Amino acid sequence: NAGVMQNPRHLVRRRGQEARLRCSPMKGHSHVYWYRQLPEEGLKFMVYLQKENIIDESGMPKERFSAEFPKEGPSILRIQQVVRGDSAAYFCASSSGGDRGYTFGSGTRLTVV
Amino acid sequence: EDQVTQSPEALRLQEGESSSLNCSYTVSGLRGLFWYRQDPGKGPEFLFTLYSAGEEKEKERLKATLTKKESFLHITAPKPEDSATYLCAVQARAGNMLTFGGGTRLMVKP
C-alpha cells in the first residue's frame, strides 16, 4: 500500500463544510480510481480518471461530489456541503492499465459531525 | 448488473484448521476476478487475479481457484497472522471498475 499515497488519513468536518481528499498514484501509474467503503458495507466504485480526464463517473453521487486528476499534482476527490451520510472510508487505487490488479492506498477516513 | 456474493460473512478457525472462502459472481463477460486482503484501518492488499475457469494460483498458505460461477480461496493450515477480511471483486470486459463482494472476516485463533 505504500506506493499509493492518500492524505489526510483522517478528516473531521462539520455538516455543510467541504472535504478535499488527495491521492498520489504509484510511480508510473496513470489510472486512478476512487472507491467508498461505508460502515459495514463493501467497497463501492465512484470514479475512474486518467490525467486531465474523467473516464467513468457512473458511481459518483450526482450532487456535491466531484473529482479531478490534473496534469500536475495529485488526484482530488471533493465533497461539498458534507452530510453525516458522507462519513466513510474513501480509498484511492491506481494501475498502469490493462488487467493488472489495482494498488490501493490506505484510505482517508472522513467523519462528519 | 455485475454482482458478487461472498460467504461466509465471518469465519473462526483454530490455527492449523484448513478451510475455504466462497465468492459467487455474475458478470457480463469476465475480464478478471481479484482477491484482496484487508486489515483493519488499511487499504486492500492485492493477492491474486484469475482470468479463466480452471485457473489456479497459489501464494504461501493461500490458493485461489475459479469456475464459471464462483471462486474459492483455500487456506491451508492457517496462522493467526492470516486473520483479516478477504475481499473478492470482478472486472467486466466492458468496464473499468471492480465490483466487490461484502468480504469474509477471517479470525484464526492460536
Side-chain angles (χ1 to χ4, degrees):
Chain A
N1 286 343
V4 177
M5 304 303 294
Q6 288 190 250
N7 64 81
R9 288 295 307 275
H10 300 275
L11 182 62
V12 179
R13 284 287 176 266
R14 295 186 185 280
R15 280 178 293 171
Q17 290 185 320
E18 179 179 286
R20 279 185 177 240
L21 288 61
R22 288 177 291 277
C23 169
S24 296
M26 275 188 71
K27 189 175 180 180
H29 285 186
S30 59
H31 301 248
V32 167
Y33 309 81
W34 285 93
Y35 286 78
R36 176 164 66 174
Q37 190 170 40
L38 292 164
E40 305 303 323
E41 290 189 22
L43 283 154
K44 302 289 186 193
F45 169 78
M46 298 182 76
V47 63
Y48 162 43
L49 309 106
Q50 294 181 22
K51 283 285 187 184
E52 298 185 279
N53 286 305
I54 297 174
I55 308 301
D56 183 349
E57 56 181 348
S58 57
M60 287 275 272
K62 293 287 183 275
E63 297 177 351
R64 301 188 297 109
F65 285 72
S66 62
E68 62 177 8
F69 189 15
K71 189 176 179 182
E72 302 290 337
S75 175
I76 306 286
L77 180 67
R78 182 180 177 210
I79 311 172
Q80 295 179 288
Q81 298 175 319
V82 295
V83 300
R84 288 233 171 97
D86 297 332
S87 296
Y90 291 83
F91 291 97
C92 169
S94 72
S95 78
S96 56
D99 301 342
R100 300 182 184 222
Y102 304 174
T103 301
F104 280 83
S106 295
T108 293
R109 277 143 191 87
L110 172 66
T111 302
V112 179
V113 297
Chain B
E1 184 180 327
D2 303 337
Q3 285 195 320
V4 179
T5 303
Q6 291 187 247
S7 61
E9 288 187 13
L11 181 61
R12 289 175 182 266
L13 298 173
Q14 287 297 129
E15 184 172 1
E17 180 187 0
S18 301
S19 188
S20 297
L21 282 54
N22 177 263
C23 170
S24 297
Y25 67 91
T26 55
V27 65
S28 51
L30 180 70
R31 178 187 284 185
L33 184 141
F34 299 80
W35 282 98
Y36 285 86
R37 168 191 171 129
Q38 187 175 23
D39 292 293
K42 296 192 176 180
E45 176 187 345
F46 174 74
L47 294 174
F48 304 108
T49 309
L50 301 166
Y51 296 105
S52 57
E55 190 175 358
E56 299 183 353
K57 288 195 175 170
E58 285 189 68
K59 180 181 178 180
E60 296 179 359
R61 295 178 291 283
L62 299 177
K63 178 179 173 181
T65 62
L66 180 65
T67 72
K68 288 187 177 178
K69 294 183 179 180
E70 57 191 351
S71 176
F72 291 93
L73 185 65
H74 307 277
I75 302 177
T76 302
K79 298 182 178 182
E81 54 261 41
D82 295 323
S83 297
T85 296
Y86 290 85
L87 301 171
C88 173
V90 296
Q91 184 181 27
R93 256 187 235 115
N96 305 296
M97 62 187 169
L98 297 182
T99 300
F100 280 86
T104 293
R105 190 169 70 253
L106 174 66
M107 294 155 280
V108 182
K109 300 266 188 181

